[in-house]
Amino acid sequence: PTVLFHKSKDDAACKEEIFGPVLSVMRVNTHAEALAIENENPFGNAACIYTSVGAHAEYFQRRFRAAMIGVNIGIPVPREPFSFGGMYGTLSKYGDMDITGEGCLEFFTNRRKITSKWHAPPGLSAAAEPATNGHSQRQEVDQANFNGQM
């Protein structure tokens, strides 16, 4: 685990998305300054506040632009049914699904839909199978083939 004490909101670790365990700490003079620093961050993944005053915690919970908020505790790893991270409009918004089960499969796969139409080669019926190796085959209708007629 790493704890970073920042002197400025312009520190490199405040500008890049860091995957930890890392705790970034910055002292500020006002509530407005704290909110401005957090909400200006383009990632919007997580924020936390350490306080002994419940009203302060609620104030920040309602105003932080982050998807995961910790009060008197570091940010937990997101689990179902939470999304992959950030809020809409941030660089950390990776999807609307949870990171386990079907949501994970959906996130890490690409759906494809292929529509095509093929015509039988000249002289070959769509229902007949061609002969192989010079031997004739029994003419069977392919029951699995739907040619658009009922």
Side-chain angles (χ1 to χ4, degrees), residues 64-91:
F64 275 149
R65 187 186 70 136
M68 296 179 291
I69 298 174
V71 177
N72 295 329
I73 190 167
I75 307 305
V77 173
R79 293 290 310 212
E80 66 282 340
F82 304 105
S83 71
F84 278 91
M87 304 288 276
Y88 284 105
T90 67
L91 298 177

